[in-house]
Amino acid sequence: MNFISQRVSSLAASQTLAMSQKSAELRAAGIDVINLSVGEPDFFTPQHIKDAAKAAVDANFSFYTPVPGYMSLRKAIADKLARENGVTFAPEQIVVGNGAKQELCNVILATVNAGDEVIIPVPAWVSYVEMVKLAEGVCVTVPAGIDSNFKITPTMLEAAITPRTRMLLLCSPSNPTGSVYSAAELRGLVEVLERHPQIIVVSDEIYEHINYTDEGFTSMASFASIADRTVIINGVSKAYAMTGWRIGYCAAPLTIAKAVTKLQGQYTSGASSIAQKAAEAAYTGPQECVGVMREAFRRRRDLVVAMAREIPGLKVNEPGGAFYLFPQVEAYIGKRCADRVINDDSDLAMYLLDEAHVATVAGSAFCAPGYIRLSYAASDQSLAEAMRRIAAALAKLQ
């Protein structure tokens, strides 16, 4: 007898987590695997943030927290949004949860009805489509390839909109491509959205501080004409190397924030008390650590891009942010090494794991077959060795 609901059975497992788990198993077996599959900074959480967590333990922050988060943290986030992004949210419009992933899912579940369409530019993070499926919504994917730096145009957005469109889900800087929309490019999308007031805009800004462009970061919520229907998703995991602390937030119109709080109150309640106090220190304390990590990621990007461009058959662009490279690998589809045939990007990712002992993620996991994703959130030495191994393994394919 099948005891599993159709809702869960229809969901795909996370291929990024699956590949990370596979590489961990190989490492446990004594194989020297370089894991470029995980989207996680390799830095330790800055000391002043850890000190704040220790102080919170000593101050007995050990009781249930308010469902939407401590007011002191929500005020700190509101101040951050005003200071860094030029957008105004009251603390009551901010809901803190167990990572940005939970808050994104909360927003989708709180606003999308069965049959509603959600526009997702692809390549896109693996969980977007599955979250929409969980809400019984309909995903409308809009593909953008490497020749356009993986960014959609206003014309492409307009063509995807129907009377059933409920939401646009946009991520900049992007996971998995590292693409960053300029203010002018976002303004073009906003001009389309102005003609469709029924569309909620969800802006995933978790990588905002890992941005190498001269222009810097522009939030979708900074455009006044759509500010009253824009939701920001963000958190401390990437900018402050706090992935395991599990603190993210949504900043939303008040009605959506209240709905998210209602939903969260029924299945997880408030986030960890100690982690919230650590996050508060991240937002209110010194920010030099953010810049130091960003510059390390920039250096690593330059290293990986330069080495990838030396590999015949890889088509590579220069990411403007995040810590991912998303090369096109179609030149290797159909090739073989001995009896092993590379039928698609998933085969290639497994080949690289088996042959080169480098863990990557197939582009098809991100709705973009023909690509692979490499995370350069690893040491310079590991990255250089990984790229040498990849080059050697690909050279064996005929």
Side-chain angles (χ1 to χ4, degrees):
M1 182 177 291
N2 182 13
F3 294 104
I4 307 303
S5 70
Q6 184 178 351
R7 180 183 302 106
V8 172
S9 297
S10 68
L11 298 180
S14 170
Q15 289 193 40
T16 55
L17 296 180
M19 186 61 84
S20 184
Q21 176 64 29
K22 177 69 173 176
S23 65
E25 292 170 357
L26 291 174
R27 278 179 170 174
I31 298 173
D32 177 24
V33 174
I34 300 175
N35 187 2
L36 304 187
S37 69
V38 65
E40 176 174 56
D42 62 320
F43 299 102
F44 295 123
T45 302
Q47 189 61 46
H48 70 280
I49 299 173
K50 294 189 287 188
D51 290 342
K54 296 172 186 176
V57 172
D58 292 337
N60 296 310
F61 279 87
S62 55
F63 300 96
Y64 287 132
T65 62
V67 172
Y70 285 132
M71 180 55 72
S72 58
L73 175 55
R74 293 153 72 197
K75 286 181 177 176
I77 293 169
D79 289 345
K80 173 263 183 236
L81 291 169
R83 179 179 67 251
E84 296 184 354
N85 305 113
V87 298
T88 301
F89 286 90
E92 292 76 16
Q93 294 177 267
I94 294 165
V95 184
V96 175
N98 299 284
K101 192 171 192 175
Q102 183 191 15
E103 290 313 297
L104 174 58
C105 194
N106 283 347
V107 169
I108 292 171
L109 289 171
T111 59
V112 173
N113 294 307
D116 284 348
E117 295 178 355
V118 177
I119 295 174
I120 304 176
V122 295
W125 182 45
V126 295
S127 293
Y128 290 162
V129 168
E130 304 307 315
M131 289 177 181
V132 173
K133 285 165 58 177
L134 190 63
E136 300 182 58
V138 177
C139 295
V140 178
T141 57
V142 182
I146 195 168
D147 292 331
S148 62
N149 282 322
F150 305 106
K151 292 186 278 189
I152 67 168
T153 65
T155 301
M156 295 164 70
L157 174 59
E158 184 72 66
I161 295 173
T162 76
R164 297 289 298 173
T165 304
R166 177 68 166 171
M167 178 182 290
L168 167 66
L169 179 48
L170 191 71
C171 181
S172 174
S174 165
N175 176 5
T177 67
S179 296
V180 180
Y181 283 83
S182 69
E185 289 167 335
L186 291 176
R187 190 174 297 110
L189 300 181
V190 168
E191 289 172 357
V192 173
L193 294 165
E194 288 171 348
R195 299 193 289 271
H196 301 277
Q198 82 280 10
I199 299 176
I200 299 166
V201 181
V202 177
S203 182
D204 184 346
E205 303 180 359
I206 193 69
Y207 293 96
E208 68 161 314
H209 287 298
I210 308 175
N211 185 337
Y212 321 118
T213 65
D214 292 336
E215 179 182 299
F217 176 75
T218 300
S219 172
M220 282 292 276
S222 65
F223 294 93
S225 61
I226 62 165
D228 63 350
R229 50 190 169 105
T230 297
V231 178
I232 291 175
I233 301 293
N234 209 329
V236 294
S237 62
K238 313 299 182 181
Y240 299 97
M242 294 177 67
T243 51
W245 297 82
R246 306 313 303 137
I247 295 294
Y249 68 84
C250 70
L254 187 59
T255 54
I256 294 178
K258 287 182 176 180
V260 166
T261 300
K262 180 180 179 181
L263 176 63
Q264 185 165 298
Q266 290 295 353
Y267 77 104
T268 63
S269 299
S272 161
S273 56
I274 305 306
Q276 285 195 55
K277 298 308 288 185
E280 186 178 333
Y283 286 123
T284 60
Q287 300 297 303
E288 289 81 4
C289 56
V290 176
V292 169
M293 288 186 277
R294 178 175 58 247
E295 290 311 305
F297 287 132
R298 184 199 301 270
R299 183 185 68 249
R300 294 168 178 182
R301 177 203 62 176
D302 293 344
L303 169 66
V304 169
V305 168
M307 293 188 74
R309 285 177 171 165
E310 294 297 317
I311 299 175
L314 286 189
K315 188 172 182 179
V316 180
N317 71 331
E318 183 176 85
F323 37 67
Y324 306 109
L325 186 67
F326 204 66
Q328 188 180 72
V329 295
E330 290 181 350
Y332 293 98
I333 306 304
K335 292 191 174 183
R336 65 170 59 229
C337 178
D339 293 333
R340 186 167 190 164
V341 180
I342 306 301
N343 294 305
D344 53 29
D345 53 296
S346 296
D347 283 351
L348 185 64
M350 287 307 302
Y351 169 76
L352 292 175
L353 182 60
D354 294 337
E355 180 70 26
H357 297 156
V358 177
T360 62
V361 185
S364 54
F366 308 97
C367 302
Y371 295 85
I372 59 172
R373 190 192 76 171
L374 300 83
S375 167
Y376 50 86
S379 70
D380 296 56
Q381 295 80 3
S382 293
L383 291 170
E385 174 62 19
M387 297 308 295
R388 284 191 289 267
R389 293 184 187 183
I390 289 172
L394 291 177
K396 295 179 181 180
L397 292 173
Q398 302 296 324

